[in-house]
Amino acid sequence: MTTIRLHNTKSRKKEDFTPIDPDNVRMYVCGPTVYDRAHLGNARPVVVFDVLYRLLRHVFGTDHVTYARNFTDVDDKINARAAESGRSISDITNETTQWFLDDMGALGALEPDAMPRATEWIAPMVAMTSALIERGHAYAVEGHVLFRVRSYKDYGALSGRSVDDMIAGARVEVAPYKEDPMDFVLWKPSDEAQPGWDSPWGRGRPGWHIECSAMAYELLGESFDIHGGGNDLQFPHHENEIAQSRCMGHGFANVWMHNEMLQVEGKKMSKSLGNFFTVRDLLDQGIPGEVIHFVFLSTHYRKPMDWTAEKAREAEKTLRRWYAQAEQGVGTGEPYKAVVNSLSDDLNTAGAIAELHQLSLADDISTLRYTLQFLGLMGDMVPGWAALPKASGLGLLADKLQAVRQAAMQTKNFAEVDRLKAALINAGVEVRMSKDGVELVPGPEFDPTKLEALQ
Ligand code: AMP
Ligand code: ZN
């Protein structure tokens, strides 16, 4: 069996990955807060953990992996959006959730097995909050419940910082009812206009961090294998998740993985900085989803990356060439071993792309086709996929040339064969004719736009 090695934020090392139960490998990834279109940065963890999900399914079996990613549909940003737009909260969260699914689907990402919405799991959050109070790790005061950070001695271990360092560096909310400024909210009161649920502490709503601890426990159990998200979530969100779950006596996640940020001119792309564009903006500009996906794969997930139009153009050129080549192959049923090996080395996606270039040069079109599909780049589940092969259409042209050639053998008039052949060569395609048929191999100068007139 392939050994997967993953960089664990907790140990700051690459480790061999050994699942708790190889029959059910379990992964939780923090999902979006649903009040607006996903920006391109939000798509990075989706693509990164999609690659990991695909790799785990390949190694352990499709039915032996459970991937959960939540929707945060209770949050003050959502309340604010509802208040300013005059729309209801559920209208906004339902619409945004569907946008997210559509946009990520257009990138070719598989849907996780479970996509829990926070508002559907309030009871387990209340139960966990009560249990933390009973255990002395939390306290209720003025309708709030706060987690007592000093009661968890390993607080900060994920990011390797002490509580005092964190207080110095963090913008912690100071409130008169807090025992300690570091204490964070598990539950807070709601006024009439805010969404709220009945609880032992009055009508209120959960804090953000308890959401992931409660849903991960309900869906994946006390201990699970991998927890992922962007590295902006490491502190405080993930430190707080760990504190809550460990104080419940749960093992929680074994491996912690964090993707680096998508940047714009050296700064994190984010809504609050206003330096963002959405996935939908790019799709609407005609950039196919799999091109966006491929650009993400070209940079290792633990490195910051910039989106540039030049990268998108290069990616599209490469994909068009590969698709034209691969569409003439039949899937082999096995992804290319060297690609799997690269991915198994802490998701070395750039290395996997280098291997795909080799595979393309070796002209192993069936393996190329299957490997592209394995990566989510080519296949029925990719809605944007039709856009690329249609533009190249080399498979259809090969059939057409073969038919014209067979007719010419009867009539002895090869003018049409010569015309087609010349146009293909002019478009950078190598034409291979044999007694078995016609094969068209796109070369490095392949330009599909020159073929449009021929179809
Ligand atoms: P949010 O809706 O802001 O909580 O983010 C949802 C997910 O997107 C989290 O896993 C974040 O870490 C991730 N994320 C947000 N901004 C970026 C960015 N610029 N680059 C990469 N990941 C991001
Ligand atoms: Zn989370």
Side-chain angles (χ1 to χ4, degrees), residues 8 45 72 371:
N8 190 347
T72 299
T371 310

Side-chain angles (χ1 to χ4, degrees), residues 111-123:
E111 285 194 355
D113 302 287
M115 295 189 283
R117 296 174 188 216
T119 50
E120 289 169 9
W121 298 83
I122 300 291

Side-chain angles (χ1 to χ4, degrees), residues 28 30 70 208 212 227 233 237-238 241:
Y28 186 94
C30 296
N70 66 304
W208 171 34
C212 292
H227 193 313
L233 300 185
H237 185 52
H238 289 164
E241 284 186 25

Side-chain angles (χ1 to χ4, degrees), residues 337-405:
K337 188 77 188 131
V339 166
V340 174
N341 289 344
S342 291
L343 298 181
S344 300
D345 178 16
D346 193 31
L347 305 184
N348 180 2
T349 47
I353 291 176
E355 297 295 350
L356 281 168
H357 278 291
Q358 292 303 318
L359 193 58
S360 157
L361 287 174
D363 208 20
D364 183 350
I365 53 179
S366 292
T367 309
L368 180 65
R369 179 179 186 133
Y370 193 83
T371 310
L372 288 169
Q373 288 175 334
F374 164 67
L375 286 167
L377 285 169
M378 186 176 179
D380 299 339
M381 70 282 227
V382 183
W385 134 251
L388 287 183
K390 222 161 79 205
S392 65
L394 278 191
L396 289 176
L397 281 173
D399 293 346
K400 180 168 170 180
L401 183 53
Q402 173 65 2
V404 169
R405 187 169 159 238

Side-chain angles (χ1 to χ4, degrees), residues 2 7 39 96 104 112 117 123 125 160 166 199 206 215 274 299 359 366:
T2 311
H7 182 271
H39 65 65
T96 317
M104 299 308 132
R117 296 174 188 216
M125 297 178 209
M166 283 184 278
S199 81
M215 294 192 294
T299 302
L359 193 58
S366 292

Side-chain angles (χ1 to χ4, degrees), residues 116-357:
R117 296 174 188 216
T119 50
E120 289 169 9
W121 298 83
I122 300 291
M125 297 178 209
V126 169
M128 195 174 269
T129 302
S130 296
L132 287 168
I133 295 175
E134 269 163 43
R135 288 166 174 257
H137 293 294
Y139 54 97
V141 53
E142 295 179 24
H144 292 73
V145 180
L146 291 144
F147 186 91
R148 192 175 272 132
V149 167
R150 301 269 178 192
S151 76
Y152 178 56
K153 66 171 181 11
D154 289 334
Y155 192 83
L158 179 68
S159 30
R161 290 187 283 186
S162 73
V163 177
D164 294 320
D165 279 356
M166 283 184 278
I167 292 180
R171 276 189 296 159
V172 289
E173 198 189 335
V174 185
Y177 49 79
K178 280 187 177 182
E179 285 178 5
D180 186 298
M182 274 307 274
D183 294 351
F184 60 86
V185 165
L186 299 177
W187 188 264
K188 57 187 164 188
S190 295
D191 64 27
E192 282 303 304
Q194 290 165 329
W197 292 263
D198 289 332
S199 81
W201 320 286
R203 185 173 172 278
R205 59 196 192 282
W208 171 34
H209 318 296
I210 194 72
E211 178 187 317
C212 292
S213 284
M215 294 192 294
Y217 168 62
E218 294 293 324
L219 293 161
L220 305 178
E222 288 189 4
S223 299
F224 55 95
D225 299 294
I226 299 168
H227 193 313
N231 67 357
D232 56 335
L233 300 185
Q234 230 182 95
F235 174 76
H237 185 52
H238 289 164
E239 293 286 5
N240 293 355
E241 284 186 25
I242 293 173
Q244 294 161 163
S245 295
R246 298 286 291 177
C247 289
M248 287 295 295
H250 300 168
F252 210 46
N254 279 350
V255 181
W256 283 86
M257 293 178 68
H258 291 98
N259 62 273
E260 251 293 351
M261 293 292 102
L262 185 84
Q263 300 186 333
V264 182
E265 286 159 18
K267 288 211 175 68
K268 171 188 168 185
M269 176 182 283
S270 75
K271 296 238 167 75
S272 54
L273 291 174
N275 60 350
F276 69 94
F277 44 90
T278 66
V279 174
R280 184 50 52 184
D281 291 335
L282 293 179
L283 295 170
D284 287 348
Q285 286 164 25
I287 299 177
E290 60 264 62
V291 168
I292 301 172
H293 184 135
F294 193 66
V295 170
F296 276 131
L297 297 188
S298 63
T299 302
H300 189 252
Y301 77 95
R302 285 195 289 115
K303 295 204 178 105
M305 78 168 277
D306 277 309
W307 171 270
T308 64
E310 179 56 25
K311 280 186 191 170
R313 270 194 297 276
E314 279 304 312
E316 179 157 357
K317 238 167 85 184
T318 304
L319 283 181
R320 281 191 190 279
R321 191 151 42 80
W322 287 351
Y323 281 19
Q325 207 179 349
E327 82 180 323
Q328 299 174 79
V330 286
T332 54
E334 269 302 313
Y336 188 40
K337 188 77 188 131
V339 166
V340 174
N341 289 344
S342 291
L343 298 181
S344 300
D345 178 16
D346 193 31
L347 305 184
N348 180 2
T349 47
I353 291 176
E355 297 295 350
L356 281 168
H357 278 291

